[in-house]
Structures are given as structure tokens and as C-alpha cells.
Amino acid sequence: MAADAAAAVSGPAITLAHRHVFGLKADVKNNIHYAEETQLIYPAGTNAILWAADQKRQDFFQGNEGAEGITCLAVNATKRYLAVAEKCYEGAIVSIFDLVLKKKRKTLSWRESDAPEFVCVAFSADNKYLLTQTGRSPSEKHNWTLIYWVWDKARYMASIKVSNPDNAPIRECSFNPTDSSVVCVIGDGIFKFLQLKDGLKPLPVAPAKLQSFMCHTWLSDDKMLVCCENGDLMLFDNGGEFQMVLPTSPGDPRSATCSVSFSKGFVIGGDDGFIRVYEKSDDPKEVYRNTKSIQLEGGNIGTGVRSLALSPSEELLAVTTSTAQLLQLSLLGQDLLKADEAPTFEPVLTPFHHGAILGMDVCVRKPLVVTCGADKSVRVWNYVEKTCELCKFFNEEAYSVAFHPSGFHLIIGFSDKLRLMNLLMEDLRTYKDIPIKACRECRFSNGGQYFAAVNTNNTNNIQVYKTYTCELIDTLRGHNNKVKSVAWTADDSMLVSTGADGAVYEYNVMAEGRKSSNDFVLKGTAFTSVIVYTDPATGGNTMYVVGTDKMLREVCGGQAQNIVQANTTLGQIVLSNSAKSLFAAVAEPDAPAPIRCYKFPLDGYFNEFSCHSAPATRLRVTYDDYFLFSCAEDGCLFVFDVKKKDRVVSKRDKESALQPADEILVTRTFLDDKQGQLIELERQVDELSNQQEFQLRSRDGDHKNEMVELETKYTAEIDQEGQKYNLLREEKNDADMEFEENIKSLAELHAKQTQDLEGSFQNKMMLEVSRYQKLAAERDRTHAYWEQEHRQLMAKHQQKVAELQREFADRKASDEAAITRIEEEKKLAEDVHNETMRQLEQDTDREIEELKEDKEARLKAEKDDKVRLRGQAGIYKRNHEELKTQMQRKEDELRQYQEDARKKEDKIQILQRERDHNVKEIRQRDATIGDKEGKIYDLKKQNQELEKFKFVLDFKIKDLKAQIDPKNDMISEMKKQIQAMDADLEDYHRKNTQLQVNIVQLQSKQKSLQEDIVSQRKKMTDCQTVIKRFKTDLHECVQFIQEPKQLKEGVTALYKKYVPNGVKKQELDSDIQREYNRQREYLEKSVDSLKKKLLKDSDVHRQDNTRILQENVSLIREINELRREIDFLKRERQQQKLHVSKLKGATTKGASQSAPQADTAATQREMEGNKTRIDELKKKIEEQMSLRETYLRQTSASVQSDQEQATAAAAGSSS
């Protein structure tokens, strides 16, 4: 940042802070995104802007130092992180910003690539990975390279060139939303799917025909939309397989250059200026239909759509155009589908300039800034309220503009003349034309009584006029090339100018424009801007000038007193009114234009602040030094807060400060028109109020007549429905009696079978006890026999040990030679072991990935179930709302339905928690796998140590194995059979238990239904009692039929007694009644079918229970036999082990002990593996049973809800 740090002891007393920017950088890919419902992200200059509409505040994300500008933007799925790609000739850069903390998280750059820019950036759906697509590289080694990042760790994972041999451009890249390892790339004749698997590998997919693809988007139904240059919309599935070309495609060239998806479909925009909204269609041939087409800006030619973004609620659509405008459209149904008028686009902030801003000036008395640009418009901005006060387009291009200090007058230099204009409330009105063509520079004096205009056509003269009389005072001559800048001294007595001829002249306006002795000429340099500073102590004028020589010169007395090396071309300079800082704007061609803040007097030290992406054209500061303004060829107007380190504003200073003027200019004609409009609007309001009163009176009469007709009609229908309800109640009572008899018979049969099984089991247990006693006696006899055999073997063992000791001494020498050979073999074995370990690690990683894919598939299935459950909940809720409109009097029953809906939502939340628990369990299993791998590594180390004794004990182990292996094989086979039978037995026990639980649940449900029926009967009895009382009271009231007064009192008493809360009127038509009858018939049929289904299921369950009990008996018998055989085999194996131990010598005593231990350890490991497998099988069985229980609960819940609906419908008909 510092240009000459050695020359500066301290920094400038003034610094800058971004306040606001008016403008948009339109050539950025995906240059509009939503962060929240009221927050938009877009680029302006070299910064990314976060606009908070509710707070009217902008947050700036500044680019990297040395970058050449922003090329594309991307926001992740959670709207938390922003990726900003910047062009840099040393290598493209991507910066990741945290939108919540407003801080930079990471900066990504691939040092191996020399590509200067990224043309597209995309986040993965899980927010872990990032895709960057490079453009052309100078060395052509990394042309159109796709790079796959783990952005949180700034780690590069894979890259691949994705273009064709012709180096066709790539336009977009993205992740598959369901699989982050699959990415998609499209471009000019390029359509590729790639998968991250040992690098990025292409997948074998291709469209029906390769053509120029413009954009693509992933739809909500796991499909992908690809837009072609010829206007075709192609539909692909999630794996990249081509499905069809939509028949509703626009078909016009470049009519679909950008797209965005939403829950109901997608939106596309093109260079033809049309926004087209597509929604899902029920027609399978059409798939998507075009519901609305809207044109931008009234159909201006050349206005195209650059980017689209949808708000999180999908209610607002943000659009950026090729004319650098940021617009917003409401997508609500009532706003979008109005047939009377087309939807209108509203500017998000204000309309911006399109193209370069050529002139700018600031007002002294009002918080206003005026600009003019290449788009032939003049705009007046309010920098305090951050709005555009006035915008007017002209037929000619405006090159320069000046603001009068009062804020009432403007000077605008057009291509044909110089115009003096009054700034009215809603218009600019010309009051004087001066014949100066293409005036590139004009300035009001500080007091506003004069203005100077440059005539650059032939003479390059400067003409000075009086503001209020437009009288020419002086014509200042001297420049022989175009004049670039003019400036007034503080007392308006002198005028300073500079131009492309390298001259700086000072004119005395009060002395007929004579030149002073302070003129300065530097041939070969073109100056672009000049300012003048008057020393209050001496009254001398010092000029500061910049030009193409990359110098900032201080000119005093015709000589350059101080020269500051800028090392870049400075285009504009301005001095703060406090004379503590000098601001300069960089104007390098085709390069960003930051703002520099120099300490004044000049010592070479400066701070630099990034803003524009193109050379700056104007720079201004407010009279109180609170704000700095800069504009450039990129069409942006930046507003900076000027912050002084030593600025302390007291309360007295604030009160004594001159407040901004709020006066405006209006014409007499304007006031007369407004008064006439006000009178006309008052007359229209009176007419509308009279019409509404008449319409209300006529509607009240019609409603009363309709109410009388409806009351008579629905009274008759309610009587008919009451009779039908009585018939249904009798049928229901008969069905209840049948259900009770069937359940009693099932309970008696089950109790009898249980008693029989208990008796048979007791008999078998007595037999097994007696058999166990016999086997125990036989075991004691066998133990005594083997004790004797053991003593004999020990004696033989002593003799054998002596012989082995002698043999050992002889073989020791030969063993030493063998040891050296074994060590060499050991090294070879270690190499083989290391290679084996590497392969095992690879296999383990592959198995882990397969398990992960399997779990993800199961998780996806659970998500589908959740969506289905939500759909069912929505259906029940809609049915509930329809019944609510028809049965308003049944408020208590409606509360019951709402309680049911809340329970279903709780059930969905429980399922979501189960899903989270499953994910946690998967992670725990992954950790367990890691622990087991560590144990395997330790066991392999122990295996290496045991192999040292292998060669010594090999021949004895072979003899022992020859005797033991047949028995081990038999034992292992028997164990497998036992385990299989144990698993089957546990399965049968579990099924039996589950069926019993189901029976209990069904009984409890039946009991609850009976209680509901009793409560309904009680309600009906109460209603009949009330009706009888009402009939009695009515009969007593009828006795006064001949006495009107007593009759009226009796009717009033009846009304107060039986209608305490008044009568709720409801309006029903014939369509609602028909729908009600159809629903009731459907529910009656549903109840009948569910009754039949329940009977059938109960028979099937009774048969299954009988069959399972019989199978359990046979399996228990087989298990007892297998246990007896296992005990026999164990004893036989123990005897064999004792016999083998007696045959071993003293020298091989340790080996003889280690061999059975190893065999025992292997057996234990085998048993543990079998137990683990059994546990896994048990878990699978429990999962299947839980799924079955869930299905049964859902079935029973649906049956119960259908019965409740039928009961409610019948109750409604009776009422």
C-alpha cells in the first residue's frame, strides 16, 4: 500500500470507508444471489456487495490485492458462504467469505496453473467441496481445466481438461445434488459427466446431439435441464441420460442463456429480453408448460437477461440485465398470473448507469450528486438516503455536468450545445442554451456567480459566464490542445486549467483573463487533472497536477517544487477542504482503479482503497469533507465516508452547523395540475362511496332471500341423514357383537395350547435331569482312568527329556546356521507382509466406501418414506379443512382432528430422530472398524513374533494336527448347525412374541372404539332429551297462539333457553352438499372393506400362531439332542488333549503349552466371530420386526381414522 514508507513518519490523517455504491458489474458470471429473503449479493467494481433491503445497508467484500476484477460468483446451498473468483495474471484466485461473520474464510489458488481466470465456480450440495473451471491459459497447458477442491482445508483433490481438441469454451460446471463425487460440465459442443474416483474420470453419457449448450440447472425431481443456443430445452435424468427435448421450448436463438429452478419448475431468461416461467404439467408428453412470459423494460432492443436468482421463499425473482440493471419480480400467483396487466419489474435499489459515467459534480447546500453517462442520461442521487432523486434521458450524449452550490441549477455539456437547466421536483428544464459543442469540462465557481466551460472544437478556449445573466465575461486562451481540467481558487478570482499539451495555466478572471507568472509547461506529457490550493497565510496559489508521466507534481511560481512518484497513471485528483489529505484516482487502461489517499502536504505516503474495475473519470469531495465520490468507465458511482483521526465534533458545532436545504423548485403549471388532480380524485372518491353503499344494500337483500331458501332445504336433508345414521348404528352394533365372540374363542384356544406346551416341557425337563446324573457318574469314572494314564505318561516324558537334551546339544550348531538363513527369509517375509498390509488397507477403504454408499441409499429410502408420510399428512389435513367448512357447529370434533394431526407431526419428528440415531450409529460403526483395524495390526505383530518358533516346532505340530483336525472339523460343523438352529429358534420366539403384542394392540384399539361408541350414544341420548324438552316447551308456547303478546314472550324465552350463543349461519350450496354425500358414501364403503380385511387377518394370524407353536416344540427337541452331543464331544476332546500332553518332552514343554493355547485362542476367536454374526442377525431381525410393527401401526391408524370419519359423517347427517 505504501509508496514511500521511508519518507513518512505517520499515515494520512484521513482514511476512507465504503458507504454505498450505485452500479452493477454486468459481465460477471452468476452475478446475482440471495443470502436471505431481504439480502442480495451482486458485484460492483472490484467488490462483492451484500445489500440488506430491510436496513438499507451495503456490506463490502473487497477483492485481493493485485487482482484484475471479479469473473464469477457462487453461494452455497445453506446461504452461508460466498465464493468470489477473481482474474489475476499470476494465476486465478477464489476467495471464500462467511456471509454471517462478514469475514474471509479461505483463499484458493492452484500454483501449477497459469490460467488467469475462472469462468465458473460451484459449491457441492453438502458444502464440503468446490468446483472451479479455468479459462484459456497463456501457455495452453491448462486450457479449460476443471479443478476439484476441499475448500475448507484449501486442498486440491483432482483436475482434468474438459474441453475438446478445438479448445471450445466451457460455460458452466456443477455438482450432482445427490452425489458430490459426480460433476457436470457444459460448453460449446461439450456435455460431460465426470466422477471422482482415483481422479476425475469421464462417465459414458452423451446427449442425442452435441450443440452449443448455454446453461443448465438441477430440478427438484432429480432431473437436469440444459438450455441450448438454438432455444431448445433438453431434459436429462440424474445420471446424465438424455430423456427428451421439451415441446414447449422457446425455439428462438439465445432465448435461454440463464436458468434457475424452484419447487414447481424453473425460470429461464435470454438475450431476447424475455423471462419465461415453466411449471410441471400433468401431460406426460409435455412434462413442463410455459405459464408466463414477461419482457424486460418494455421491449427495449438489445436488453438481455444475464443472471437469475430466487429468494429462499420462492416469492421473489432477482434479474440482472445486459444494461447493468438489478431488477426484482414477484412470483406470487396473484401477482404473476394477472390477466389484465403484465407483471412489472421493480429496481432492487435504483436504476443504474449503463456504460461509462463521463461527468459528475456534488452540491454544496443539498446532499445531492449529479452524474451523466454514455447512456444519454442525467441522474441526480441522494447520497444520504441512498436513492436516485431524478433520472432523465436525452437524445444527445452528455459529456460533462456541473452542480450549482444552491442545488437549483445544472450545467450539462451535450454533443450539440451547452445547456443551463433548472432542477425541478420531477424534471430538468432548460432555461438557456449556449452554442458550445461537446463540452468536456465545465465548473461553477465556489460562490456560484460564475461558471467556466471548455470549448474544445477548434479554439480550445475556456469561456467564463455569469450564472444568472449568462453574460460572457472572458475567453481564456493559451492551450494548443484539448483542455482536460479546470479549477477555481477559493475566492473565485483565479481560474487554473491544464490539458493534453502538458501546460498548466493560471488566469485572473477579474483582470480580463490575463495569465499570471505561475504558468508551467512540460512538453511530451498530457495532463488530465489539476487542483489549486491557496495558502491562507501568504495568499499564494499552489497547483497540483497529474498526467501520463505517472507523477504527482506540486507547481508553485511556475516551477515544479515537489514531485511524487506514483508508479501508475493517476487520472483525477481532489483536495479536501480542510487541506489535510489529497485524494487521487488511478486511471490505468483496462485495469482496476483504486482510490489513493495522500497525506497533505505531500510526503509520498498513501493508503489505497479498492473500488472501480475500470479507469476513474471523476472525483469529488463534499464541502464539509464528510463524503468522497468517484465514478468510472464501469458505470459505478462509489460513495466513501471520509474519516478523520483528529475529528471531534462537539454539540455546539453540530447545532451551529448549516443544515442541508430542503427547498425545491416547482413551476406554476405543475402546481395547477396537482390541484386539478386532487379535485378530480376527491370527486371519484365520492362516486365510489355512493356506488359501494348501493351495492351493499342490494347484496344484503339477496343474501336474506338465499338464507331463507337454504334453511328450508337443509332442514329436510338433515332429517334424511338422521334416518341413515340410525341404520348405520344398528349395523355397527351387530358387527361389534361378532368381533367380541371371535376374540373370546381365540383367547380360549390360545390358553389351551399354552397349557399343553407347559406340560410337555415339564416332562422333558425331568428326563433331561435323570440323564444328566448318569452322565456325571460316567464322567467321574473316566477322570480316574485318565489320572492313571497321566502318571504313566509323565514317567515316559522324563526319559524322553533326557534324550532330547543330548540331541539338542548336537543340533545347536546346525541351528545357528539355520538362524542366519531364517533371518534372510524373515526380511523377505517382512517385505511380503508390508505389501499385503498395503493391499488390505486399500480393500478396507473400498469396503468402507461401499458401506457408506449402502447407508446413504438406506438414508435416501428413509427420506422418501418421510416425504410420503408428509404427503399423507397433507391429504388428511385438506380433508379436515373441507369437513370444517361443512360442519361449523361441530367445534369439539374439529379440535379432536387437530389433535390427531399434531400426533402425526410428532410421529414424523420421532422418525426424523430415528434417522439421526441411525446416522450416529453409522459413525460409531466406522469408529469400531478403525479400532478393529488397530487390533488386527497388533495381532499381526504378535504373529511375526510367534513365527520365530515355527521352524522348531513344525514337525510336532503336524503330528498333533493329524490327530486333532478330524475332530475339529466335526466340532465346527456341529457348531454351525447349532448356531443356525439357535437363530431359527430365536426368530420363531420373536415372531410369536410380536404376534402376541399385535393381538394385545388390536384388543386395546377395539376397546377404545367401544368407548367412543358409548360416548357417541350418550351424546345422542342427551340430544334426544333436549329435543323432547324443546317439544314440551314448544307445545306449552303454542297454547298462547291466540294471544300475540304472551306468544312473543314465550318464543323469546325459548330462544334464550335453547340458543344462548346465537345461531351460526352457514351458506351451503348444492355442490358442497353433493361433495358431502360422496364423501360419506366413500367412508361407508371403506368401513365395510376394513371389516372384511380385519376378519381375514385374524384368521391368518391364528393359523400362523398354531404353526409356529408346533415348530417351536420340534426345535426345542432338536436343540436338547444337539446339546447332549456337544457335551459328549467336549469330554472326548478333553481326553485327547490330556493324552497329547503326556507325550511331550521337557524341551518342548513350552511349545506343547503354546499349541493348545493357540488352538484354544483360535476356537475362542471363532466363537466370538459366530457370536458377532448372531448379534448382527438378531439386529436385522429386530429391524424387520420394527418395520412390520410400523406398518401394522400405520394400517391400524388408517382404519381408526376412517372409522372416526365415518362416525363423524354419520353424526353430522343426524344433526
Side-chain angles (χ1 to χ4, degrees), residues 14 124 329 345 373 509 570 726 780 959 966 1088:
I14 292 178
S124 62
L329 174 68
F345 288 89
V509 178
L570 300 179
N726 293 328
D780 295 337
D959 295 336
D1088 295 335

Side-chain angles (χ1 to χ4, degrees), residues 949-950 953-962 1151 1155:
F949 303 99
K950 179 180 178 182
L953 304 173
D954 191 37
F955 68 97
K956 291 187 178 181
I957 292 172
K958 290 181 180 178
D959 295 336
L960 293 173
K961 281 186 177 179

